[in-house]
Amino acid sequence: MSKSVKSTKVKGGDKRLEQIGDDIWKNRTTKINNELFTMTYGSIVGQICREENYNYNKVNEILFNMGYNIGNRLIEEFLSISLIERCNNFKETAEVISKIGFRMFLNISPIISNWSIDEQTFQLTFEENPLAEFVELPDEYDEEEENNSSSNIKGNARGELWYSNILCGVLKGCLEMVQLECEVWFVSDVLRGDDNTSIKVKLISILRDEIPVGDD
Amino acid sequence: MPSPTSPLPSPGTLRRNQNATSLIYDKNIYRNNKNVSLSSLQFLIMEIVSQYMKNTNNILKIERKLNNLGYSIGLKYLNLISTKNNFINNITSNGKSNTSHRITKLIDFLHFISNDIWLSLFNKSSNGLEKSSDNEFQFMIIDNNPIISSFLSPTQEYNSLSIESFTAGIIEGILDTAYFQCEVSAHRVPIVNYPNKTIYLINLKQ
């Protein structure tokens, strides 16, 4: 379903962004072992889960907020390295996020698809996710444990945890710094047994630099 | 014939498990060097440290937590790198591995950490491995420009905080997995040109 949307949208502009992303990745980033990164994120999530007593809704929230803080700072590095100009429309923003943003920091380019008719919502589908390589979430507790009353402290990771929720936070944090107020959320994750890993981004409003009252 | 009380999982459970696990086991762990940007890792570490700071301003506690974070990486990392080593060697030796062996001597193992492990983690060798002159159970790995903390500088208030406790945790995890019980701490000793020079002090349990 995502393919058809993509193939109709091969324009000159996309190729250009792809080249910029390629160039930045090859020449202007210091790289590090992917496994170290994956494991670091894994132990961070593990630590948070233990500290929050496996309350996965809380964990999702913490991860999102961490991402938001990262996003607020990351945008600066993104703009100073990519030297990209202001996007003309939200469609272009989406392309820049995928072809340059994700490429530059995680060396991936998620597929953009499922544009809504009003062009305010799109979906990013990840073919690979460096945060979640070789990750497996504990399955729903089996029946024996369910009968055991003390097992209630542990939530169900595969049903409740959005393992890579930090990404949503990062996107929200970044977009907000360029005056785009968005809602970002996970719709599916292979770790939960879904077919693919996808994030939805919805534009809520374009923020204006607020002029203080009484200031002409 | 599986009886109702069979210890084997029911076919239903198996199918459910398969969804997630088969994806992992089908993947090749020896893939071409896949990298991510160093900035991403540093953003991540920076953010987790500031999360810690929200909860406590006790520097020792923060370092302890960073150490724990690294420790769980160390536990897995030795396994991963040994598996990979065997894989490479087996290809060139008709299925019989010739160079891969388990290192059991302490000094050899420390060399393995300061060279091979350092190279695979940080893409460079460490700047030295030294033995303490007054304690035979103490060793030091020296890195003039540690990668993890190279762009992170704690505020004045947290000046003595050593973010490299994270790396110290990794070393500790690796040594523990190899049955060399120890404690590892990171100490920053700034010198000219190398403001982040760090010494990882390895204290072996006797």
Side-chain angles (χ1 to χ4, degrees):
Chain A
M1 39 123 202
S2 53
K3 292 263 167 55
S4 61
V5 183
K6 206 190 166 205
S7 58
T8 54
K9 223 198 152 292
V10 180
K11 284 193 300 190
D14 294 355
K15 270 269 168 317
R16 186 182 61 93
L17 293 178
E18 224 165 277
Q19 270 164 12
I20 296 175
D22 245 32
D23 177 56
I24 293 174
W25 174 252
K26 282 184 186 135
N27 307 319
R28 276 181 281 170
T29 37
T30 320
K31 296 162 196 73
I32 193 153
N33 181 343
N34 181 20
E35 285 145 1
L36 177 62
F37 178 71
T38 308
M39 288 184 176
T40 306
Y41 185 67
S43 24
I44 287 176
V45 176
Q47 199 173 55
I48 296 173
C49 285
R50 281 191 298 277
E51 275 170 14
E52 296 304 326
N53 216 358
Y54 305 96
N55 176 352
Y56 294 115
N57 289 327
K58 189 84 208 291
V59 176
N60 289 340
E61 195 185 308
I62 292 176
L63 289 175
F64 187 90
N65 288 337
M66 281 176 68
Y68 180 79
N69 295 337
I70 293 177
N72 281 347
R73 301 200 171 105
L74 181 139
I75 187 75
E76 215 169 301
E77 181 168 334
F78 171 76
L79 292 174
S80 67
I81 290 183
S82 69
L83 301 173
I84 202 100
E85 288 151 36
R86 190 171 278 276
C87 295
N88 294 319
N89 53 43
F90 201 47
K91 274 208 150 149
E92 200 181 328
T93 311
E95 295 289 335
V96 170
I97 290 173
S98 160
K99 305 251 157 48
I100 303 182
F102 274 100
R103 187 74 208 276
M104 183 169 144
F105 289 100
L106 296 178
N107 192 18
I108 49 172
S109 288
I111 298 164
I112 303 163
S113 66
N114 287 11
W115 275 102
S116 64
I117 300 158
D118 59 0
E119 299 197 346
Q120 306 288 299
T121 311
F122 64 92
Q123 184 170 327
L124 289 167
T125 303
F126 297 82
E127 281 170 328
E128 47 183 344
N129 178 0
L131 289 173
E133 290 270 329
F134 297 104
V135 171
E136 186 185 6
L137 296 179
D139 205 350
E140 304 139 68
Y141 27 34
D142 35 300
E143 287 158 41
E144 270 174 77
E145 263 183 291
E146 251 176 296
N147 296 333
N148 191 340
S149 56
S150 67
S151 69
N152 278 340
I153 22 167
K154 280 204 179 190
N156 171 10
R158 278 190 72 186
E160 289 164 11
L161 178 66
W162 290 115
Y163 183 84
S164 313
N165 212 25
I166 199 164
L167 289 179
C168 293
V170 172
L171 283 173
K172 173 150 177 95
C174 280
L175 289 167
E176 204 167 283
M177 292 306 265
V178 289
Q179 272 94 42
L180 298 171
E181 191 194 352
C182 294
E183 227 175 277
V184 189
W185 71 98
F186 260 101
V187 283
S188 60
D189 191 339
V190 283
L191 296 183
R192 289 182 162 211
D194 297 329
D195 292 337
N196 55 30
T197 305
S198 299
I199 288 180
K200 273 216 190 275
V201 183
K202 182 182 185 192
L203 179 64
I204 307 287
S205 67
I206 297 175
L207 305 166
R208 310 251 166 242
D209 288 329
E210 298 219 342
I211 303 159
V213 187
D215 214 81
D216 263 29
Chain B
M1 263 285 187
S3 65
T5 52
S6 162
L8 295 170
S10 65
T13 343
L14 274 182
R15 209 173 309 120
R16 260 194 293 145
N17 286 342
Q18 229 171 14
N19 283 339
T21 50
S22 59
L23 275 169
I24 298 178
Y25 294 120
D26 285 351
K27 276 187 192 163
N28 183 359
I29 66 164
Y30 186 73
R31 292 165 313 145
N32 296 344
N33 270 350
K34 261 277 179 181
N35 290 324
V36 295
S37 159
L38 173 61
S39 312
S40 308
L41 181 67
Q42 285 171 335
F43 274 119
L44 203 58
I45 303 240
M46 176 195 72
E47 184 51 35
I48 193 75
V49 173
S50 56
Q51 289 284 324
Y52 294 158
M53 285 174 178
K54 259 187 229 161
N55 297 324
T56 174
N57 50 17
N58 180 340
I59 288 176
L60 279 178
K61 266 191 190 162
I62 298 176
E63 286 184 348
R64 189 75 237 149
K65 281 190 158 182
L66 273 171
N67 187 294
N68 284 345
L69 212 56
Y71 187 81
S72 56
I73 296 173
L75 293 181
K76 296 170 204 136
Y77 203 76
L78 182 61
N79 268 330
L80 176 66
I81 202 166
S82 326
T83 315
K84 276 190 176 178
N85 266 340
N86 280 325
F87 184 78
I88 305 166
N89 290 324
N90 280 333
I91 280 181
T92 54
S93 60
N94 298 330
K96 200 178 161 199
S97 97
N98 50 1
T99 54
S100 67
H101 57 278
R102 185 167 149 202
I103 304 167
T104 48
K105 289 206 181 85
L106 175 65
I107 302 292
D108 292 346
F109 197 75
L110 288 171
H111 272 295
F112 173 71
I113 292 184
S114 65
N115 295 316
D116 298 36
I117 299 263
W118 230 257
L119 202 62
S120 81
L121 279 175
F122 307 126
N123 237 337
K124 60 168 194 173
S125 294
S126 70
N127 294 86
L129 170 68
E130 284 175 18
K131 189 178 189 310
S132 161
S133 51
D134 41 47
N135 184 344
E136 61 169 320
F137 294 105
Q138 229 172 41
F139 293 86
M140 288 168 279
I141 293 176
I142 297 154
D143 195 330
N144 285 341
N145 194 11
I147 289 208
I148 303 279
S149 56
S150 52
F151 293 110
L152 305 173
S153 61
T155 51
Q156 204 63 39
E157 193 187 342
Y158 291 99
N159 201 17
S160 63
L161 173 70
S162 167
I163 292 166
E164 287 296 321
S165 300
F166 175 73
T167 315
I170 299 183
I171 303 171
E172 196 175 318
I174 291 176
L175 278 165
D176 265 6
T177 328
Y179 297 103
F180 297 110
Q181 267 197 25
C182 64
E183 260 170 38
V184 184
S185 52
H187 306 273
R188 213 170 75 205
V189 275
I191 52 166
V192 189
N193 291 337
Y194 297 112
N196 272 330
K197 180 179 174 177
T198 301
I199 291 178
Y200 305 95
L201 189 66
I202 303 168
N203 262 313
L204 287 145
K205 296 227 171 89
Q206 301 161 22

